[in-house]
Amino acid sequence: MKILVINCGSSSIKYQLLDAASENVLAKGLLERIGISGSKLSHRKGEKKYEFEKDIADHTEGLELIIEVLQSEETGVVKNINEIEAVGHRVVHGGERFASSVLIDDEVVSEIEANNFLAPLHNPANIEGIVAAKKILPSVPHIGVFDTAFHQSMPESSYLYAIPYDLYRKYKIRKYGFHGTSHRYVAERAAVMMERPLKELKIITAHIGNGASVAAVKNGRSVDTSMGFTPLEGLVMGTRSGDIDPAIVPFLQEQEGLSAGEVNDLLNKESGMYGLTEGRFSDMRDIEERAMKNEPTCKRAHDIYEYRLAKYIGAYAAAMNGVDAIVFTAGVGENSPYLRANVIDKYLGYLGISIDVEKNKIRGKETMISTTDSKVKVFVIPTNEELVISRDTSRIVKNGLKELKLWEE
Ligand code: ADP
């Protein structure tokens, strides 16, 4: 079965065409600047790379171009569009309604729409992608896989904020968490690498990319995660502040004369590593290179970054009353021996964790990087959200399901 996995942003479509049986990626690409002049499609088929420049007005036109490229003699991997048997959609926010991956029918589309107020930047784009893909591929099943769904297993004690309870009732203000597909994938892989059932393990997964979050996965269920009502909470990120005293928000509004939206932008786009380096860098490679040479601003920013991450790992060891494994994934987590060593060596030795210096040199490859006598195992596991979306899609389609549960009861 060939499955098209798509991830629609407001002006972009990321896609992969996978063969479900072999799990090989047949082709993949990114269409950018939809609805803005200068749209560009970067497409890969095996090692070969192609680029197309053509103005694309909306997601429907964008998907038509992608399908054309997937079918063309030179760049394509299918002879006919009918070879695509299902489409898996990444959807950002499933709210409290979606704790599973689902077959998308009209009712599901309305239910996703009903969550737009929770993710006003992301969900409308995901819906546009679903509507466009259903128009172009009307006779195949479309499956939704949600970024929030895996964290729906959190208990109330993790997800409720200590604000008037009525605000939870009225607006569903609570912790949702994101990167769920990634946390789920790497936790499952860690269990496989440990040759132990996921159901018996306490795993802390650290998805450290430009956006970053940590999750506590106990017995296969997410019991806490650092992102919250929005992706702003938790770790220090590329341009996001992560945790701050909420009283800073009205303070800034009053002192700087900023609107609520402007403070929101400041915390999401001008803070984090970008803010700490006074607007010089948000890319971790630039900061790390300088922090290693003790350049003061970058060193300070990096110290804050790693300290926050270590605090969350410590907190989640407490939340689960123990930890068997820690997993690093995503851009920084997979590629930065410096971050991994600093977090573990400076702060987590008391848990009986030690890193093997040689093994920790690894970048982007599944590896256990702890020493053989480390009480807690530490892994680098490259994430693969598209593969999870493809697997969920294939299982739902093959078994004629409407919903696929993400954890065992
Ligand atoms: P996102 O999907 O959130 O945009 P990624 O998971 O792609 O982000 O991660 C991007 C981050 O990973 C960037 O900050 C980048 O600098 C960092 N990164 C990539 N390669 C390396 C590396 N070799 N060393 C340190 N950081 C790296």
Side-chain angles (χ1 to χ4, degrees):
M1 187 192 301
K2 291 192 177 96
I3 294 175
L4 179 64
V5 172
I6 58 178
N7 176 0
C8 292
S10 56
S11 65
S12 69
I13 305 174
K14 243 187 188 172
Y15 62 93
Q16 281 196 7
L17 188 72
L18 293 107
D19 178 65
S22 65
E23 300 197 329
N24 285 337
V25 177
L26 306 172
K28 64 179 178 180
L30 171 67
L31 173 61
E32 291 171 289
R33 298 181 67 86
I34 297 172
I36 314 168
S37 64
S39 319
K40 189 176 94 181
L41 173 65
S42 316
H43 175 78
R44 279 185 80 141
K45 170 185 165 184
E47 293 302 303
K48 287 194 188 137
K49 288 186 190 166
Y50 304 87
E51 279 199 357
F52 305 90
E53 280 174 27
K54 178 184 176 193
D55 281 355
I56 298 291
D58 55 27
H59 287 75
T60 306
E61 257 187 46
L63 273 172
E64 275 166 357
L65 174 65
I66 291 167
I67 298 287
E68 193 184 310
V69 168
L70 286 170
Q71 281 186 98
S72 109
E73 195 154 318
E74 195 195 343
T75 58
V77 284
V78 290
K79 288 209 173 63
N80 191 300
I81 187 171
N82 298 333
E83 288 178 43
I84 300 173
E85 288 184 64
V87 183
H89 296 263
R90 175 189 180 226
V91 183
V92 170
H93 217 306
E96 290 189 323
R97 161 65 185 87
F98 296 104
S100 46
S101 298
V102 296
L103 178 69
I104 303 174
D105 55 19
D106 291 346
E107 197 186 332
V108 166
V109 173
S110 319
E111 285 169 332
I112 298 172
E113 260 166 5
N115 285 325
N116 279 2
F117 78 106
L118 293 171
L121 292 179
H122 293 102
N123 269 25
N126 297 151
I127 292 166
E128 267 187 65
I130 291 170
V131 171
K134 283 192 147 212
K135 217 188 295 174
I136 297 166
L137 294 157
S139 53
V140 305
H142 291 253
I143 309 304
V145 179
F146 300 86
D147 240 29
T148 49
F150 181 57
H151 300 302
Q152 278 298 303
S153 54
M154 284 188 292
E156 273 182 336
S157 47
S158 303
Y159 74 68
L160 281 180
Y161 294 114
I163 58 174
Y165 189 78
D166 197 41
L167 293 173
Y168 166 61
R169 262 197 221 110
K170 202 164 162 190
Y171 299 112
K172 292 285 165 213
I173 298 177
R174 50 160 286 175
K175 182 184 279 280
Y176 290 96
F178 299 87
H179 296 140
T181 309
S182 175
H183 289 295
R184 179 180 149 212
Y185 174 75
V186 298
E188 280 170 11
R189 284 301 307 158
V192 170
M193 290 169 82
M194 292 169 85
E195 298 181 356
R196 287 182 60 189
L198 184 61
K199 241 184 142 351
E200 287 174 8
L201 291 167
K202 296 170 180 174
I203 304 174
I204 296 172
T205 50
H207 177 110
I208 316 294
N210 193 26
S213 68
V214 190
V217 184
K218 187 179 182 184
N219 308 335
R221 290 161 169 245
S222 170
V223 294
D224 207 347
T225 190
S226 60
M227 283 180 168
F229 179 60
T230 75
L232 184 56
E233 191 181 343
L235 301 175
V236 178
M237 308 181 213
T239 62
R240 292 189 193 123
S241 63
D243 298 337
I244 58 163
D245 180 344
I248 294 169
V249 175
F251 180 88
L252 283 176
Q253 287 180 296
E254 280 166 23
Q255 297 297 319
E256 295 271 311
L258 299 177
S259 67
E262 285 167 337
V263 178
N264 194 42
D265 277 354
L266 181 143
L267 296 175
N268 274 288
K269 298 179 184 161
E270 294 168 37
S271 299
M273 298 307 264
Y274 181 79
L276 285 170
T277 58
E278 301 190 69
R280 284 163 69 212
F281 310 108
S282 65
D283 190 297
M284 191 51 94
R285 277 166 292 205
D286 296 326
I287 297 160
E288 207 177 279
E289 188 189 316
R290 290 166 178 82
M292 285 164 108
K293 292 182 193 146
N294 281 317
E295 199 258 68
T297 308
C298 288
K299 178 75 170 68
R300 179 179 63 195
H302 205 278
D303 284 347
I304 296 167
Y305 187 88
E306 59 197 42
Y307 177 65
R308 181 85 55 89
L309 174 55
K311 273 210 295 191
Y312 264 98
I313 294 175
Y316 288 171
M320 295 192 288
N321 196 7
V323 53
D324 299 303
I326 297 170
V327 183
F328 287 93
T329 191
V332 185
E334 290 166 27
N335 292 299
S336 174
Y338 179 70
L339 174 80
R340 298 188 299 246
N342 280 353
V343 169
I344 303 283
D345 294 344
K346 280 195 202 166
Y347 301 105
L348 299 169
Y350 77 101
L351 288 171
I353 312 179
S354 60
I355 291 267
D356 181 315
V357 178
E358 278 307 305
K359 287 186 190 154
N360 187 38
K361 288 181 180 160
I362 202 79
R363 291 176 196 268
K365 209 172 146 228
E366 266 188 11
T367 315
M368 188 176 87
I369 58 166
S370 45
T371 56
T372 41
D373 61 349
S374 178
K375 278 199 198 138
V376 178
K377 308 290 172 220
V378 185
F379 296 97
V380 170
I381 301 181
T383 194
N384 196 339
E385 289 156 282
E386 289 81 5
L387 180 60
V388 179
I389 296 173
S390 164
R391 282 180 183 167
D392 284 6
T393 301
S394 150
R395 281 180 66 188
I396 287 178
V397 173
K398 273 194 187 150
N399 299 307
L401 305 175
K402 277 199 84 168
E403 298 210 0
L404 179 74
K405 296 219 172 333
L406 305 188
W407 59 84
E408 288 177 42
E409 290 305 326

